Amino acid sequence: MLVKLQDLYFKPFISEEKIQDAVQQMVDALAEDLKDEMPIFVGILNGSFMFVSDFVKKYPHPCEVTFIKLASYDGVKSTEDIQRLIGLTQDLTDRTVVILEDIIDSGNTLAEVHRIFKNENVKQLLIATLFYKPEAYKKDFKLHYVGIEIPNKFIVGYGLDYNGLGRDLPEVYQLKTTQHMTNIVLFGPPGAGKGTQANFLKDKYNLVHISTGDVFRYNIKNETALGTLAKSYMDKGELVPDEVTIDMLNAEVEKNADAKGFIFDGFPRTNAQAEALDVLMNTKDSQINAMVALEVEDEVLVSRLLERGKTSGRPDDADEGIIRNRIKEYYDKTAILKDYYSSQDKYFGVDGVGSIEEITERLSTVLDKL
Ligand code: IMP
Ligand code: MG
């Protein structure tokens, strides 16, 4: 799941488990090297609080722990004017001091640390950092223990923040640099007003409406390679394979590369398709944010469709038996998708009875939160 902190989005990057493994490896290495010492671990606040806490809990020998605090990032740019805020109060003469840093980026903070400890007459000063950005590092100080090397991209979580936020997350997230999209799968039984609402939403949120039916008709009519392929299955009375449909959707998504997001309509219909759609969005560094389903009682749907049948001339809107069957089929087929998206907390049911404006309003409440 993406995390939004103020104006930025972050995507999952390093799991809790990987972090704990790295912490354990650092503990093992230090415990071995310092088995005859009583080290004093010095955490650099604020970012290192979580790392230091996990580190000393795992550390198998007696040790001392303290913290110092320095100014850090203002936003996402490294600032040059680092200051010592809270200094050391204890005598470190002849002690083995291990600096525990959450992250080393440019190395400016580390330079400051070295300056502070120069006059402390310590026995040795060892540097241990959980995260390290080699591409950003501009100093020559030796890093004695490094947990995980990461690319030069901004991260949050596990003590690290963006403008004060995100420190509490137990795993690490990386800044998402591509534009955030709002992608929804729109559902609703026949007669729920899906088409009408899709039109409003697409204008209001600047989304591209991808109706699978329209995409099929377009590709077949224009005899695209995929259209021709799809038609060859249809002519044999076979279902078009999911890969072909996904390829068509991919082409639509790529045609609209700078869209603010997509409304998928008529797809997915099965678990396998929902998974394939997740894979597709993932390749675009994006995701499906929600399945939004218009909920309307059967009796209301039947009377709406019969009413529409009087003027639309669609034969499947004229017969009550056929209508009830279509509604039933919708529920049979979509129940499974409701489960798929519910299990990811992405299912949003919206009351589809009321005026068009009222329903648009309800849908907007959902979309505004995504
Ligand atoms: P330096 O550039 O090595 O001096 O790192 C300065 C400080 O910037 C670190 O101690 C962190 O507080 C912060 N910092 C560096 N990179 C990141 C990051 O990717 N996310 C959050 N904070 C960071
Ligand atoms: Mg720090």
Side-chain angles (χ1 to χ4, degrees):
M1 276 294 234
L2 293 185
V3 165
K4 187 177 185 205
L5 300 175
Q6 291 176 349
D7 51 332
L8 298 183
Y9 288 86
F10 295 84
K11 59 184 174 191
F13 181 48
I14 307 175
S15 70
E16 226 177 317
E17 197 191 344
K18 285 224 172 79
I19 295 170
Q20 293 302 328
D21 285 352
V23 174
Q24 186 64 54
Q25 281 182 23
M26 295 177 75
V27 165
D28 293 346
L30 273 140
E32 171 63 23
D33 294 351
L34 304 181
K35 55 178 180 292
D36 303 320
E37 310 259 352
M38 167 71 89
I40 174 159
F41 293 113
V42 180
I44 312 293
L45 289 175
N46 290 330
S48 74
F49 75 93
M50 231 187 245
F51 170 47
V52 174
S53 165
D54 284 342
F55 183 95
V56 296
K57 274 184 272 181
K58 293 181 201 293
Y59 196 74
H61 308 304
C63 61
E64 284 180 52
V65 190
T66 189
F67 289 93
I68 57 173
K69 184 163 172 150
L70 304 162
S72 64
Y73 267 34
D74 180 23
V76 293
K77 290 250 159 53
S78 188
T79 45
E80 292 288 330
D81 59 324
I82 293 157
Q83 290 154 18
R84 181 175 174 174
L85 299 183
I86 299 172
L88 284 167
T89 49
Q90 116 197 49
D91 182 16
L92 294 174
T93 308
D94 290 331
R95 299 294 307 268
T96 288
V97 173
V98 183
I99 299 297
L100 293 183
E101 259 288 29
D102 47 332
I103 189 163
I104 291 180
D105 182 296
S106 67
N108 289 336
T109 310
L110 188 58
E112 193 72 2
V113 165
H114 276 279
R115 192 183 62 75
I116 292 168
F117 282 85
K118 206 168 57 203
N119 303 321
E120 297 286 334
N121 303 315
V122 300
K123 180 175 163 197
Q124 56 175 338
L125 181 68
L126 299 172
I127 309 298
T129 185
L130 178 58
F131 301 114
Y132 170 48
K133 296 178 181 171
E135 296 154 26
Y137 192 55
K138 293 194 296 267
K139 308 283 180 193
D140 296 319
F141 304 110
K142 183 172 165 57
L143 308 180
H144 303 85
Y145 304 91
V146 172
I148 303 175
E149 288 193 5
I150 59 170
N152 191 10
K153 287 195 183 156
F154 196 75
I155 58 172
V156 292
Y158 200 72
L160 295 153
D161 72 307
Y162 167 59
N163 283 347
L165 299 172
R167 294 194 196 276
D168 52 324
L169 300 165
E171 58 286 285
V172 166
Y173 290 78
Q174 188 182 55
L175 180 64
K176 220 166 98 49
T177 41
T178 49
Q179 194 199 197
H180 178 68
M181 293 199 280
T182 301
N183 303 305
I184 65 170
V185 170
L186 186 61
F187 265 80
K194 227 170 23 138
T196 311
Q197 293 300 333
N199 261 331
F200 279 109
L201 294 179
K202 117 182 181 248
D203 292 341
K204 179 162 179 189
Y205 293 95
N206 222 332
L207 305 176
V208 174
H209 180 195
I210 300 187
S211 149
T212 323
D214 291 346
V215 172
F216 264 103
R217 280 185 287 275
Y218 170 87
N219 278 278
I220 291 171
K221 179 163 165 270
N222 291 287
E223 296 178 357
T224 67
L226 286 167
T228 310
L229 184 59
K231 193 165 179 297
S232 71
Y233 289 97
M234 292 157 96
D235 288 346
K236 284 183 279 179
E238 288 169 20
L239 284 175
V240 178
D242 287 350
E243 301 87 74
V244 178
T245 311
I246 278 285
D247 285 349
M248 282 189 204
L249 295 182
N250 182 37
E252 287 306 303
V253 169
E254 291 199 332
K255 253 191 244 169
N256 298 285
D258 40 41
K260 287 254 193 305
F262 296 91
I263 302 173
F264 292 97
D265 175 358
F267 192 93
R269 291 206 190 277
T270 64
N271 253 327
Q273 292 182 346
E275 280 164 17
L277 186 58
D278 281 346
V279 171
L280 170 65
M281 296 321 285
N282 208 3
T283 64
K284 309 289 180 238
D285 201 10
S286 190
Q287 62 166 358
I288 295 295
N289 304 83
M291 168 181 183
V292 183
L294 287 169
E295 294 170 342
V296 182
E297 282 156 53
D298 289 7
E299 297 316 308
V300 178
L301 293 174
V302 172
S303 57
R304 274 192 198 170
L305 288 173
L306 284 173
E307 196 56 39
R308 185 168 90 183
K310 285 183 195 156
T311 50
S312 76
R314 274 173 66 166
D316 57 347
D317 280 351
D319 182 300
E320 186 169 334
I322 295 178
I323 289 174
R324 288 196 186 274
N325 219 8
R326 281 163 58 207
I327 297 172
K328 181 176 177 308
E329 202 182 273
Y330 166 82
Y331 285 111
D332 290 347
K333 289 207 171 132
T334 56
I336 197 149
L337 288 164
K338 184 173 171 177
D339 293 344
Y340 182 88
Y341 289 108
S342 293
S343 71
Q344 303 175 41
D345 289 327
K346 289 182 181 173
Y347 177 85
F348 298 89
V350 171
D351 181 4
V353 182
S355 70
I356 292 177
E357 299 76 34
E358 277 165 355
I359 300 166
T360 309
E361 196 49 46
R362 287 176 205 147
L363 289 166
S364 301
T365 312
V366 172
L367 265 71
D368 287 340
K369 278 189 304 210
L370 297 175

